[in-house]
Amino acid sequence: MNILADAAKYDVSCASSGSKRKNENKGLGNASNGICHSYTEDGRCVSLLKILLTNHCIFDCAYCVSRKNNDIKRAAFTVQEVVDLTINFYRRNYIEGLFLSSGIFKDADYTMERLVRVAKKLRTEHNFNGYIHLKSIPGASDELMREAGLYADRLSVNLEMPTEAGLKLLAPDKNRQDMINPMSFLKKEIIQRTEEKKLFKNAPMFAPAGQSTQVIIGATPESDQQVLQSANYFYKNFNLKRVYYSGYVPVLIDKRLPALNTAVPMVRENRLYQADWLMRFYGFHVNEIVNQQQPLLDLDIDPKLGWAIRNMQAFPVDINKADLQMILRVPGIGLLSAQKIVSARKFAKLSWEQLKKIGVAINRARYFIICKSNEFERRDLTGNNIKQFILAESKSKYIKNTQTQLNLF
């Protein structure tokens, strides 16, 4: 347990949103309200019982602590042991679900079959209705992927490196197409099963929380533009629920990798997630956030503020007249706040005090909007002036982690 739980900590894609698996026939657990979360001291989510089935692996990926040529203690659970652990931990109220990944025993199907058997036993023998996330093994057959979707709430295939070139450099034994094939299959199957569910009430659920993936950043020299372009491609073509960004943690000495003790600053992960959010919910195109002229995200300020400072010609925005999409682009205004603004202004013009009650971060938004009140007169400031004013008023919890990663590429 110590070995395989520790080996699983590098996999960050374990959120449980999106599933609605109701408890029926007095079974165990209920995934409709997600699961409890806990966090490590560096802020990573470690919700669920999060373990590997084994840390034995036939591959020698340079970035992986479980690579076959790494001299570490090896271990493996049997299928029944994982089932028993999950049930016993659930009964003790330690967990509300399972996140199960694995190294690869001898081939993809051999390993994937055991992951599926764990989920099947939990569902059919123990009537377990808690959340189950299975890591799909690249190269596994369509038959096994189909069966996995019937028992798991979410499936995910790790892309590992943002680009194919990066994968070839650090994991030459792996084939990008082996990762893409199961993602493509899952997309088609999820769409088909969703349509069946509309027609037949009792049609079985198939991966109701969808599929996700994870990419490692900082192990290879891809820019933020390349990372986000890759994420955007997979969102559009494979209907992913989430792309997770995992900063590379140097644990091995290899000339292809950054040196030990040069971990990726956590703030870079944070900025990538913020940019990802802008693409998915705020209507930003990836090229508006990063481009050839500015391929890296600004670590000092968030991506939305960065866009606004580069596009001062679009401001100020009249909060009482602008459409929702433009309001969403104002720094300091979140998705819910923007929707509340559009609803509230139907009854009266909004002032600064009302915007503050709605939840707008006035210290940022005041440089980019006008409203009913004249309390804040918009001064003729440049983007750089505004940036300096906001930074002077802000204190980030990531400030101690903004050191630059050593560039060894």
Side-chain angles (χ1 to χ4, degrees):
M1 183 69 179
N2 287 338
I3 294 170
L4 296 177
D6 184 68
K9 69 184 179 183
Y10 299 105
D11 203 322
V12 299
S13 51
C14 60
S16 61
S17 59
S19 180
K20 294 183 179 180
R21 187 182 295 275
K22 294 182 180 179
N23 191 328
E24 298 176 349
N25 300 322
K26 298 181 179 179
L28 287 173
N30 190 321
S32 62
N33 292 317
I35 52 86
C36 296
H37 295 79
S38 60
Y39 295 87
T40 62
E41 60 185 2
D42 65 353
R44 296 177 189 274
C45 176
V46 288
S47 53
L48 316 173
L49 171 59
K50 185 178 177 183
I51 54 176
L52 299 184
L53 184 64
T54 182
N55 64 344
H56 290 275
C57 194
I58 62 174
F59 291 115
D60 195 30
C61 305
Y63 49 82
C64 183
V65 70
S66 298
R67 61 190 287 188
K68 67 180 180 181
N69 286 330
N70 197 22
D71 185 16
I72 58 170
K73 290 183 178 180
R74 304 286 177 171
F77 285 120
T78 64
V79 169
Q80 192 59 47
E81 283 174 336
V82 177
V83 172
D84 292 342
L85 274 172
T86 305
I87 296 300
N88 289 333
F89 278 21
Y90 180 82
R91 290 188 186 280
R92 295 175 189 175
N93 202 31
Y94 291 168
I95 61 164
E96 292 192 49
L98 171 68
F99 177 93
L100 184 61
S101 186
S102 183
I104 301 176
F105 283 107
K106 62 179 183 180
D107 61 46
D109 282 351
Y110 183 88
T111 307
M112 192 68 205
E113 183 202 0
R114 278 148 183 76
L115 297 179
V116 172
R117 281 171 56 197
V118 169
K120 185 175 182 179
K121 275 180 170 284
L122 286 169
R123 297 295 192 209
T124 60
E125 295 182 15
H126 297 274
N127 198 16
F128 180 73
N129 292 287
Y131 185 83
I132 297 178
H133 182 151
L134 293 183
K135 276 291 174 173
S136 306
I137 306 301
S141 67
D142 290 351
E143 291 76 15
L144 284 170
M145 296 300 295
R146 183 179 290 110
E147 190 173 10
L150 295 174
Y151 301 114
D153 293 282
R154 176 171 285 184
L155 295 167
S156 56
V157 183
N158 279 359
L159 289 170
E160 302 187 11
M161 293 295 112
T163 62
E164 188 170 3
L167 186 69
K168 288 294 183 185
L169 175 66
L170 299 184
D173 295 338
K174 288 188 174 178
N175 186 343
R176 185 77 155 196
Q177 196 60 42
D178 287 340
M179 302 169 182
I180 292 176
N181 288 342
M183 293 173 76
S184 180
F185 173 80
L186 286 174
K187 173 195 171 183
K188 295 175 183 176
E189 199 73 10
I190 289 171
I191 292 174
Q192 179 182 332
R193 298 304 180 106
T194 301
E195 293 302 315
E196 288 179 1
K197 196 71 176 175
K198 292 178 182 178
L199 297 174
F200 306 102
K201 182 179 179 181
N202 295 323
M205 291 190 295
F206 186 90
Q211 64 169 322
S212 60
T213 192
Q214 174 180 325
V215 293
I216 300 170
I217 57 170
T220 45
E222 288 95 354
S223 65
D224 294 333
Q225 181 193 17
Q226 290 173 294
V227 173
L228 291 172
Q229 288 280 12
S230 177
N232 184 59
Y233 171 80
F234 283 95
Y235 275 131
K236 287 188 174 181
N237 292 283
F238 297 92
N239 295 353
L240 295 188
K241 289 288 187 179
R242 289 288 301 275
V243 174
Y244 292 86
Y245 307 95
S246 175
Y248 172 66
V249 179
V251 292
L252 301 169
I253 298 175
D254 190 300
K255 63 182 181 180
R256 295 169 290 176
L257 293 168
L260 298 180
N261 302 316
T262 59
V264 175
M266 192 184 297
V267 68
R268 186 183 179 197
E269 278 188 43
N270 186 51
R271 296 298 181 226
L272 285 168
Y273 279 115
Q274 290 173 328
D276 185 280
W277 214 258
L278 294 181
M279 292 191 301
R280 291 192 293 138
F281 300 112
Y282 287 77
F284 281 79
H285 190 275
V286 62
N287 290 332
E288 294 181 285
I289 304 169
V290 282
N291 50 48
Q292 292 290 344
Q293 291 71 41
Q294 190 165 7
L296 299 176
L297 295 169
D298 192 331
L299 299 185
D300 291 332
I301 57 175
D302 66 83
K304 189 201 276 193
L305 179 57
W307 177 86
I309 286 173
R310 295 192 303 272
N311 293 273
M312 292 300 294
Q313 72 279 0
F315 301 100
V317 170
D318 188 338
I319 214 69
N320 290 300
K321 297 179 180 179
D323 60 26
L324 176 63
Q325 286 304 313
M326 193 60 220
I327 294 174
L328 283 171
R329 289 174 174 252
V330 176
I333 299 182
L335 185 62
L336 293 179
S337 295
Q339 293 168 345
K340 289 178 182 178
I341 288 170
V342 172
S343 297
R345 70 187 185 184
K346 295 176 182 177
F347 304 97
K349 289 188 175 182
L350 303 178
S351 65
W352 292 108
E353 188 62 32
Q354 291 166 322
L355 291 175
K356 189 175 182 180
K357 289 180 180 179
I358 283 174
V360 173
I362 302 298
N363 64 324
R364 289 172 177 244
R366 65 183 183 180
Y367 298 105
F368 303 98
I369 62 176
I370 55 175
C371 61
K372 179 182 176 182
S373 172
N374 292 322
E375 182 180 351
F376 297 112
E377 288 290 345
R378 185 175 182 273
R379 291 165 289 180
D380 188 18
L381 299 173
T382 65
N384 283 333
N385 291 146
I386 292 173
K387 177 179 177 179
Q388 294 307 315
F389 282 132
I390 291 176
L391 285 177
E393 297 174 354
S394 303
K395 288 185 179 179
S396 172
K397 64 182 179 179
Y398 299 106
I399 195 69
K400 62 181 180 296
N401 292 318
T402 57
Q403 71 272 13
T404 304
Q405 183 188 22
L406 295 183
N407 187 354
L408 302 179
F409 304 110

